[in-house]
Amino acid sequence: MTTSALSPQDLADHLDRFHATGPVATPREANLANIQGFLDSSEHQYMGITPAPGTTYDDVFRLMVERVGISADPSFTEGVDTISAQLCVAALERYADVLADAVRPDATIFFATAHPAALPPIYSRLAAAARASRAEVLHMHGGIPWDDGQVRQVSDVMMVEQYGGLRHTHRPEPMELALDRLAEQAGDPAFLPDLVVSDHGMAGAAGSRGARVIAIADCNDPAPFVGEQQSLIEVVVPMDDNIPPEAYAPLTDFVLERAGLPIR
C-alpha cells in the first residue's frame, strides 16, 4: 500500500503538534549541562565524538542554536527549550537525499538505535524499503556480551539488551562491538557498511570509525551535532527522540517519499 507524504510545512506543523519539535520535554537545564558534559568527555555525553582542540562552551552553544534551534538567549537557564521544526524538516530532506544515494542494489546498510522505546519503527520501515530496493540490510549474528547485557539484533535493528529488557544508552561501545562483529562476518577487518543509520553514541562511534552515517539527536545531545560539524556524521536530524513511536510515522513517510523509496 502506498500513500502520499505530508508537505514540508504540514510535516513541520505535525512535528510541533506532537512536540517532536517546538517546545519539547527536554528541559533547558539538561541542554546546557550536557554541553559541558560533552566538553568534559563524560560517560553519557562523549558519544564517540572528541571536541576539536580549543572548542569552548560558547562554540558548542552557538552550534546548538544554529543546528537545533534551542534558545539563543544565554541568560535563559531554566524552563522549556525548543527545537526548530524548520531545521528538523531541512535535515530530514538531507537525510532522505543520503538514503536515495546510498540505497542501491547490493549496498550494505546497518540500522542501530540507542532509544529502543521510540525510534525502532522509523528504522524498521527504512530497512524494509531498503530491502525492497535490493540493498542488503546487515544482521549482526549472535549476541555480544556488554555491560551486564548484550549487544544484539532485534529484527533489522541493533539494540542493547539488559536484564531481559531493551536499554537506552548513549555510549559508543555497542556500535564498536557490532562493527567488529560485522567485519568478522565479512572476513575483512576493514569492512564497513555502505551506510549506518543510527543515533547518539552509536552514530558517533560509526562516524569515528569512518562509516557513512546519518543520525537523529535531541536538543540535549550536542555530540552528534559536533560530529556533523566535523564531517564524521553526514546528517543529524534535530528532534525529540522519545515521543510515542506512532507520531514519527509521517516523518518516515516524508523521508521515504523524498528518497524515492517505497512507502509501506
Side-chain angles (χ1 to χ4, degrees):
M1 179 177 178
T2 61
T3 186
S4 294
L6 296 177
S7 69
Q9 185 56 57
D10 286 345
L11 178 60
D13 292 342
H14 169 87
L15 294 170
D16 279 347
R17 187 163 57 253
F18 284 89
H19 301 290
T21 58
V24 292
T26 307
R28 177 70 165 187
E29 301 93 294
N31 291 347
L32 301 183
N34 289 358
I35 292 173
Q36 190 60 54
F38 166 67
L39 291 170
D40 293 340
S41 297
S42 75
E43 178 182 359
H44 298 295
Q45 293 307 316
Y46 157 58
M47 299 193 198
I49 302 295
T50 301
T55 300
T56 67
Y57 177 98
D58 287 344
D59 293 333
V60 181
F61 178 79
R62 283 192 296 269
L63 181 72
M64 297 301 284
V65 171
E66 293 166 1
R67 301 205 177 190
V68 180
I70 66 170
S71 171
D73 180 3
S75 69
F76 170 45
T77 58
E78 296 181 358
V80 176
D81 213 340
T82 55
I83 297 174
S84 164
Q86 287 69 38
L87 289 174
C88 179
V89 172
L92 286 168
E93 290 174 335
R94 299 193 303 274
Y95 188 100
D97 290 345
V98 174
L99 280 170
D101 181 62
V103 174
R104 58 190 184 276
D106 301 321
T108 54
I109 318 292
F110 187 56
F111 294 86
T113 189
H115 272 250
L119 300 181
I122 298 175
Y123 300 143
S124 293
R125 290 185 62 201
L126 297 181
R131 185 179 291 109
S133 300
R134 295 189 293 135
E136 180 184 359
V137 176
L138 293 173
H139 277 228
M140 186 200 76
H141 302 321
I144 305 173
W146 179 70
D147 197 29
D148 295 331
Q150 283 191 339
V151 179
R152 61 171 61 168
Q153 195 94 12
V154 180
S155 296
D156 286 327
V157 186
M158 183 270 278
M159 308 181 204
V160 174
E161 175 274 339
Q162 189 174 44
Y163 311 134
L166 294 171
R167 170 181 166 180
H168 165 233
T169 180
H170 284 176
R171 288 170 60 181
E173 294 95 334
M175 179 60 76
E176 293 165 354
L177 291 168
L179 291 176
D180 288 345
R181 175 64 59 85
L182 291 174
E184 178 184 325
Q185 289 173 195
D188 177 3
F191 173 81
L192 287 171
D194 293 314
L195 181 67
V196 173
V197 182
S198 191
D199 48 77
H200 300 85
M202 295 185 184
S208 294
R209 184 74 70 96
R212 189 179 192 186
V213 182
I214 54 176
I216 291 167
D218 209 329
C219 54
N220 63 344
D221 299 319
F225 296 100
V226 174
E228 182 183 36
Q229 183 185 47
Q230 295 176 352
S231 299
L232 298 175
I233 301 174
E234 194 158 344
V235 180
V236 183
V237 176
M239 67 180 195
D240 189 299
D241 51 26
N242 195 34
I243 63 174
E246 63 270 18
Y248 295 122
L251 173 158
T252 312
D253 291 344
F254 180 85
V255 167
L256 289 170
E257 183 172 84
R258 182 175 175 95
L261 297 173
I263 301 177
R264 296 169 181 258

